[in-house]
Amino acid sequence: MTSAGSARIPSASPNWLAAWISRNGLMLAIVASIFGLWELASWAFAVPEYVLPKPSVIVGTMITSWRLLLLHAAVTFQEVLLGFTMSIVIGIPLAIAVVYSRLFERIAFPFMVSLQTVPKVALAPILVMWLGYGIMPKVMVAFLISFFPIVINAVIGMRSAEKEMIYLVRSMGANELTTFIKIRLPKALPSIFGGLKVGIGQAVVGAVVGEFIAAEYGLGYLQLMAQVRLDTALLFAAVVVLSLLGVMMFNVVAWVERLMLPWNRLATGATE
Amino acid sequence: MIQGAGKVAADGSPAPAAQRGGDRAVSVNIQGVSKSYRTLRGEDVQALDTVDLAIEPGEFIAIVGPSGCGKSTLMMLVSGLIPATTGTILVGDTPVNGPITSAGIVFQRDLLLDWRTVLDNVLLPVEIRKLDPASHLQKAKDLLASVGLSEFEDRYPAELSGGMRQRVSICRALVQDPDLLLMDEPFGALDALTREQMNQDLQRVWLRSRNTVVFITHSIDEAVYLADRVIVMSSRPGKIADIIKVDLPRPRRSTVRSDKRFIDHVEHIRQHFMALGILKDD
Ligand SMILES: Nc1ncnc2c1ncn2[C@@H]1O[C@H](COP(=O)(O)OP(=O)(O)OP(=O)(O)O)[C@@H](O)[C@H]1O
Ligand SMILES: [Mg+2]
């Protein structure tokens, strides 16, 4: 192998920390300066704690109330994960059905599209009425919200294989199943992951909205409680934890994508 | 470039005239075949006028003709991937009624799969046809070596140049020892030098396998160099304007291009294109 060959493999040297900082440094600096300004301004203009707590106070609350935050975060995480998994387990096979069956394409697909225009948030109270106060209604809202982007992207992806590429494997004697496994599915994966990345964010929104309606646990519920008690610092701490949860779950999806589709960064010119 | 395994007759010694066609080479019979496409606007466009052509087992046929005259269409018809509007095609004794699987095809576009490495792309037909993986792995590696791509076995297609990609797609068509090789402008993306080299390499590989080849090209020179017979097609709707038999001895060296007979053949075909109004002098 030539030097160009080895350059593709990320180096495992101890410099990874330096590399990480050089890649994310700018973003870190921006975030740090926003919080710095915020801190300074709250202090300079003497903004009351119950209107806008200082970042230092929010962090303090996060440290002192970490058990509480973790308990509720775990519930929200569970709801998001279940709803999102449901979207994948139901959405991908449905996408396959839409691609392969005229009936599904003509009936199920328009139905799904029109359902998409119904605000899922408005369904949440009904779901609570049906499913009670447990995690199920939240899982359902998370599922309903994240389902559509996953299906539509999977359908678009599986339809993106060129006619000639299908011809190619047909001339090798491939049947429809082989064509699906060797061409349509791998060809669709970048698009499917696009849908998953949108979907995971939507699932977080869905779960929290569900918790706003009626809940006994979860970060959305914690926010409501904090609001009632005028504990603004806890309210903000819950927002921070929620954001961290969302970012973490998004990054897991992105990481799986990079792992599964190393070629995609090359093919789409996403490499530096 | 192609120095693959196998016994190559020392360059210069003429191929035994009687030995036409490898053991499995097939004949191709095109009888009264025409093709119309239905466009999106609902009109019928005739791409190919009636074509009759009999190709012997082990024959090397080159097809030249202006852009859009239906060369690719004819190839797709022979491969059974699209149905003919009229007429029948026989590959061997079997009428073509759907995709035939005995052919190795090099499409006009390389059609490499982005998600597979170069080696895995070449092995695609082996996987799909469920051929013996071990022996074909070596075959694939030899083929890649013969086109100078050994170093790139583990690369992804996005890391290759256009010419390299097309060479990979040629290896993919050859890995299964096809009875019939259909090639649609395989060297169109190559520079003139590499192209001449590839012509020589293809001839050497073919002299060993002696399968039936249908080779589409825009280059008159390339057609005459490679083919036993050159089919000249007229503009759309395409039909056969002339068939030129090239009986230059094989293996042909690159110096054959300055041979009087070679030049005459090229000139003859050029005259055709002038008469058809495709080539014009100012
Ligand atoms: N799927 C299609 N639908 C409609 N028309 C088509 C289709 N494919 C090809 N054609 C038309 O048929 C004609 C012949 O096309 P074809 O691709 O066979 O030409 P060609 O000789 O291979 O040209 P080139 O040398 O440029 O590759 C063209 O006029 C083209 O517009
Ligand atoms: Mg063509």
Side-chain angles (χ1 to χ4, degrees):
Chain A
M1 268 287 153
T2 54
S3 58
S6 52
R8 296 191 303 138
I9 301 149
S11 69
S13 68
N15 282 333
W16 63 268
L17 186 65
W20 188 84
I21 289 174
S22 84
R23 205 167 339 120
N24 300 303
L26 184 63
M27 205 188 69
L28 283 177
I30 291 172
V31 171
S33 37
I34 289 174
F35 281 110
L37 279 175
W38 179 353
E39 183 84 35
L40 267 177
S42 321
W43 181 75
F45 302 114
V47 182
E49 284 292 277
Y50 62 85
V51 175
L52 183 67
K54 295 188 195 70
S56 59
V57 174
I58 296 171
V59 172
T61 308
M62 284 174 70
I63 292 169
T64 50
S65 310
W66 70 271
R67 270 173 186 285
L68 187 71
L69 286 162
L70 200 65
L71 172 81
H72 290 283
V75 174
T76 305
F77 174 73
Q78 205 181 357
E79 293 160 357
V80 174
L81 197 64
L82 281 172
F84 182 63
T85 309
M86 245 174 101
S87 285
I88 297 175
V89 171
I90 296 175
I92 303 294
L94 197 69
I96 297 172
V98 168
V99 170
Y100 278 100
S101 145
R102 259 287 157 77
L103 192 74
F104 267 90
E105 190 192 353
R106 305 239 312 262
I107 296 165
F109 203 50
F111 184 70
M112 269 158 34
V113 174
S114 46
L115 208 68
Q116 171 59 13
T117 59
V118 175
K120 249 71 69 193
V121 177
L123 294 179
I126 302 173
L127 289 168
V128 169
M129 208 171 69
W130 287 345
L131 300 169
Y133 291 85
I135 68 166
M136 265 332 276
K138 292 89 183 176
V139 171
M140 285 307 291
V141 182
F143 158 70
L144 284 175
I145 276 195
S146 61
F147 173 76
F148 193 74
I150 292 177
V151 174
I152 190 94
N153 279 287
V155 168
I156 291 171
M158 285 187 242
R159 284 202 180 130
S160 69
E162 301 96 317
K163 192 175 58 184
E164 287 113 318
M165 227 165 233
I166 307 294
Y167 282 169
L168 175 76
V169 289
R170 282 285 152 74
S171 75
M172 297 171 185
N175 57 19
E176 195 46 64
L177 180 64
T178 313
T179 307
F180 178 76
I181 293 169
K182 301 281 185 202
I183 305 288
R184 283 197 199 279
L185 187 60
K187 181 89 188 169
L189 280 177
S191 179
I192 289 177
F193 271 102
L196 294 184
K197 282 175 172 172
V198 177
I200 190 75
Q202 300 283 66
V204 175
V205 172
V208 174
V209 164
E211 290 169 357
F212 282 164
I213 308 283
E216 283 155 352
Y217 293 103
L219 289 169
Y221 165 79
L222 186 64
Q223 280 195 292
L224 286 186
M225 288 304 103
Q227 189 196 24
V228 170
R229 286 192 236 136
L230 290 182
D231 188 346
T232 322
L234 186 60
L235 197 55
F236 272 84
V239 172
V240 173
V241 174
L242 198 56
S243 313
L244 289 177
L245 186 71
V247 169
M248 182 199 78
M249 294 185 87
F250 179 89
N251 276 316
V252 169
V253 176
W255 175 73
V256 173
E257 180 188 27
R258 273 203 302 280
L259 216 64
M260 279 180 69
L261 318 176
W263 50 271
N264 195 34
R265 289 153 63 78
L266 298 165
T268 56
T271 46
E272 308 70 79
Chain B
M1 243 187 221
I2 295 187
Q3 296 117 358
K7 346 80 203 153
V8 182
D11 264 12
S13 72
Q19 189 202 321
R20 178 32 95 61
D23 352 324
R24 289 179 304 128
V26 289
S27 64
V28 177
N29 275 292
I30 301 167
Q31 297 158 351
V33 166
S34 72
K35 175 70 187 177
S36 301
Y37 287 107
R38 168 71 43 96
T39 63
L40 279 182
R41 288 199 216 131
E43 301 151 8
D44 283 331
V45 175
Q46 184 153 33
L48 206 60
D49 206 336
T50 320
V51 169
D52 292 281
L53 181 65
I55 304 172
E56 288 171 43
E59 194 176 13
F60 198 122
I61 292 285
I63 300 179
V64 291
S67 181
C69 75
K71 303 182 294 296
S72 299
T73 301
L74 185 60
M75 190 191 89
M76 297 292 250
L77 290 170
V78 171
S79 65
L81 289 166
I82 58 175
T85 308
T86 66
T88 51
I89 298 173
L90 299 172
V91 170
D93 302 324
T94 341
V96 175
N97 287 321
I100 59 169
T101 55
S102 53
I105 307 180
V106 180
F107 290 86
Q108 192 160 6
R109 291 169 48 205
D110 59 63
L111 298 180
L112 296 185
L113 310 184
D114 284 334
W115 53 92
R116 285 170 166 255
T117 61
V118 164
L119 187 61
D120 285 341
N121 262 290
V122 175
L123 288 170
L124 181 72
V126 178
E127 271 175 44
I128 292 182
R129 289 163 199 269
K130 302 197 168 59
L131 305 174
D132 170 49
S135 65
H136 285 88
L137 177 65
Q138 195 49 50
K139 181 104 195 287
K141 289 187 169 207
D142 289 347
L143 278 167
L144 283 170
S146 72
V147 294
L149 290 177
S150 278
E151 276 180 50
F152 295 88
E153 280 176 7
D154 299 324
R155 299 289 189 94
Y156 286 99
E159 298 172 280
L160 305 186
S161 74
M164 289 157 107
R165 293 175 64 109
Q166 193 56 291
R167 278 182 265 165
V168 175
S169 82
I170 294 167
C171 292
R172 179 177 61 192
L174 290 173
V175 74
Q176 31 162 338
D177 270 323
D179 308 347
L180 173 63
L181 187 57
L182 304 173
M183 306 175 95
D184 194 353
E185 297 186 35
F187 306 141
L190 302 182
D191 63 283
L193 270 178
T194 317
R195 189 167 186 158
E196 215 174 295
Q197 185 65 55
M198 292 297 294
N199 285 343
Q200 221 168 315
D201 298 343
L202 177 63
Q203 178 185 234
R204 191 181 307 128
V205 170
W206 174 73
L207 281 174
R208 222 179 303 140
S209 63
R210 284 286 185 165
N211 45 10
T212 312
V213 182
V214 177
F215 184 98
I216 295 169
T217 176
H218 273 139
S219 157
I220 302 173
D221 176 277
E222 185 171 80
V224 174
Y225 176 80
L226 285 169
D228 295 322
R229 283 191 292 162
V230 178
I231 315 293
V232 181
M233 289 181 67
S234 63
S235 314
R236 188 167 66 96
K239 56 170 168 255
I240 296 178
D242 197 7
I243 300 180
I244 290 104
K245 201 164 169 58
V246 184
D247 40 16
L248 293 163
R250 292 190 193 266
R252 298 171 188 160
R253 300 172 174 205
S254 33
T255 48
V256 78
R257 288 183 170 85
S258 42
D259 189 299
K260 173 87 170 62
R261 284 171 293 173
F262 187 95
I263 295 169
D264 286 348
H265 284 312
V266 170
E267 197 47 41
H268 181 84
I269 297 170
R270 200 184 301 279
Q271 292 298 333
H272 259 296
F273 285 146
M274 290 220 175
L276 292 166
I278 296 145
L279 267 175
K280 289 191 200 81
D281 280 328
D282 292 327

